[in-house]
């Protein structure tokens, strides 16, 4: 299922919570970092650097646990 723009996201211990319920992310398949300005932030480490990617809630797919 895809999230809606009105869903409240929170990352705690590298796990996502949506509207206060645990949520298992299937896409994006990258390590979760945090939530900034309502967008999910993922972290990808490449070589000697890293890259942050910002995802709108509508782009996140998965299921409630």
């Amino acid at each position: 299922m895809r999230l809606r723009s009105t869903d409240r996201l929170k990352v705690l211990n590298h796990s996502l919570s949506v509207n206060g319920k645990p949520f298992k992310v299937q896409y994006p398949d990258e390590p979760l970092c945090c939530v900034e300005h309502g967008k999910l932030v993922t972290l990808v480490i490449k070589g000697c650097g890293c890259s942050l990617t910002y995802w709108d809630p509508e782009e996140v797919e998965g299921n409630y646990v």
Side-chain angles (χ1 to χ4, degrees):
M1 79 180 274
R2 272 185 193 230
L3 299 179
R4 294 171 287 182
S5 62
T6 57
D7 288 329
R8 291 176 288 119
L9 310 179
K10 183 177 181 181
V11 173
L12 184 62
N13 296 331
H14 303 288
S15 297
L16 183 64
S17 170
V18 177
N19 299 325
K21 298 176 186 174
F23 191 83
K24 172 104 169 110
V25 178
Q26 295 172 342
Y27 179 82
D29 189 22
E30 299 172 358
L32 306 180
C33 180
C34 61
V35 174
E36 288 185 14
H37 306 290
K39 294 186 177 195
L40 179 64
V41 182
T42 58
L43 174 71
V44 177
I45 299 172
K46 298 177 186 176
C48 62
C50 66
S51 173
L52 296 176
T53 307
Y54 294 80
W55 303 89
D56 287 322
E58 298 93 343
E59 298 175 288
V60 179
E61 296 179 15
N63 297 304
Y64 286 102
V65 179

